[in-house]
Amino acid sequence: TSRLEQLVDSPWEATKLLGNDSLALRIWRTHQAMRGLVRNAEGDELLFVHAGEAQLFCDYGHLALREGDFLLLPRGTLWRIEPASAFIALLLEATNESFRLPDRGMIGSHAPFDAAILDTPAIDESFRAQQNEQRCEVVIKRRDRLSTLTYPFNPLDAVGWHGTLAPVRFNWRDIRPLMSHRVHLPPSVHTLLVAPRLVLSAFCPRPIETDPGSLKVPFFHGNEDYDEAIFYHRGQFFSRDDIHPGMLTLHPSGCSHGPHPKALRAGAGGERSHTDEVAVMIDARDGLDVAPLPAGVEREDYVNSWQEKAHGTGP
């Protein structure tokens, strides 16, 4: 996605990457304040801030955003952002659905993050300062079509709010990954949010298993029930080779995969004591369609990355 350099003002103009009837995944690059407001009438919207900082203004108040933030915007929220500089965000829409917390079972309500760290917008001085009587346009997305409402004033004029439905923010640094020193845990333990047809997980820095007989990298597997997409935010992904920040991989259902040869050797040799990766994984219950992308964006040789010859390390 680092090769997608187009800057657009509106999230509705963001480049679509993957999607199906239950979700839409986009990458949004912008560098200036949005001219008006937007509202998603399709479903909840989740933003993951890949780079930059911004101020969010919505009908619940004001919230500051920074690199690594997850921002959940409930369906119907009016919002806009004012970036401080170049701003890159991954947008995940739960089409016709809502995100919710997974069943945490025996691990309890404090892992992998404590709900007490969830931030909500505030009706503060910054929010009150942006209220005015100037003409404002609201662009509403519904069934992939856009409608515009025009107000003779800024509709972000709330004086307060009450209830349990609101935008929430947390950062990957707030996550405490589940770990085991004796067995490599499957990716599903890192689930953050779920919707009926998708699962959102995050891989964050953690100690690597220490038991001499334990597997230090993911086992080879096939996702028979889900298509798996992973967005790489930062660090060296411990089970992949030649993967860089901003890249997105897709492993469709039925395609077996696992650690790359170099990562497999590094794990077997115990070369690393910790992972330093940050990545976001989306598992889709229904098949994902790859959106049309400009030439040169897709790395067509990725399919060969499990071959030693592809990296010049074998015959």
Side-chain angles (χ1 to χ4, degrees):
T1 66
S2 60
R3 297 177 180 176
L4 296 166
E5 299 178 347
Q6 183 180 9
L7 299 171
V8 294
D9 295 336
S10 171
W12 306 153
E13 299 171 354
T15 302
K16 188 172 182 179
L17 302 172
L18 303 168
N20 57 29
D21 290 341
S22 303
L23 70 89
L25 186 66
R26 297 176 171 84
I27 191 81
W28 182 28
R29 290 175 174 266
T30 188
H31 69 295
Q32 62 186 20
M34 293 168 59
R35 291 190 296 267
L37 300 167
V38 295
R39 169 182 282 156
N40 192 339
E42 307 271 19
D44 286 2
E45 190 92 54
L46 185 77
L47 276 70
F48 175 72
V49 181
H50 180 50
E53 298 178 351
Q55 303 301 314
L56 169 79
F57 295 95
C58 66
D59 39 12
Y60 295 82
H62 165 246
L63 196 60
L65 302 176
R66 65 166 178 147
E67 171 271 321
D69 275 346
F70 292 87
L71 172 68
L72 175 56
L73 295 164
R75 184 198 310 217
T77 302
L78 275 178
W79 64 277
R80 65 180 177 86
I81 63 166
E82 294 182 1
S85 58
F87 183 84
I88 306 173
L90 195 69
L91 309 178
L92 176 61
E93 173 192 283
T95 308
N96 288 321
E97 293 294 350
S98 298
F99 287 107
R100 63 207 69 177
L101 294 174
D103 180 4
R104 300 184 182 187
M106 291 186 295
I107 67 171
S109 59
H110 303 296
F113 63 84
D114 188 336
I117 58 91
L118 296 176
D119 290 326
T120 55
I123 307 291
D124 55 16
E125 289 302 318
S126 295
F127 181 74
R128 286 187 281 268
Q130 58 89 49
Q131 296 175 358
N132 56 56
E133 299 299 315
Q134 298 178 8
R135 181 177 178 270
C136 180
E137 290 187 348
V138 176
V139 181
I140 303 165
K141 186 170 83 74
R142 176 64 174 167
R143 302 188 70 185
D144 269 338
R145 297 187 179 186
L146 303 180
S147 301
T148 302
L149 301 182
T150 303
Y151 291 82
F153 58 90
N154 176 10
L156 299 186
D157 57 358
V159 296
W161 59 272
H162 182 71
T164 56
L165 179 67
V168 294
R169 178 199 61 188
F170 61 95
N171 194 279
W172 67 261
R173 296 169 180 86
D174 299 318
I175 299 169
R176 303 293 181 261
L178 299 182
M179 299 173 294
S180 168
H181 73 286
R182 297 197 65 190
V183 61
H184 183 80
L185 299 177
S188 54
V189 304
H190 303 296
T191 298
L192 298 180
L193 296 168
V194 298
R197 308 297 291 179
L198 70 93
V199 175
L200 179 95
S201 307
F203 302 117
C204 298
R206 62 170 181 82
I208 289 177
E209 295 78 12
T210 57
D211 187 279
S214 65
L215 189 66
K216 307 296 194 299
V217 290
F219 31 76
F220 288 92
H221 63 283
N223 299 338
E224 306 310 332
D225 297 314
Y226 291 83
D227 279 7
E228 170 194 281
I230 302 179
F231 178 80
Y232 304 88
H233 173 55
R234 60 183 290 176
Q236 177 185 350
F237 201 67
F238 79 114
S239 66
R240 297 280 183 269
D241 184 25
D242 199 23
I243 292 288
H244 310 288
M247 291 181 67
L248 177 79
T249 59
L250 171 64
H251 300 141
S253 172
C255 292
S256 300
H257 59 283
H260 285 163
K262 185 177 179 181
L264 190 61
R265 288 194 300 272
E271 296 179 12
R272 301 177 65 189
S273 61
H274 290 72
T275 69
D276 66 352
E277 72 202 32
V278 179
V280 179
M281 182 171 73
I282 299 101
D283 284 320
R285 186 66 182 85
D286 307 302
L288 289 170
D289 297 317
V290 179
L293 295 169
V297 171
E298 181 182 0
R299 294 189 58 173
E300 297 184 359
D301 62 342
Y302 175 72
V303 68
N304 300 319
S305 57
W306 284 272
Q307 299 180 22
E308 292 276 5
K309 186 176 180 180
H311 296 269
T313 58

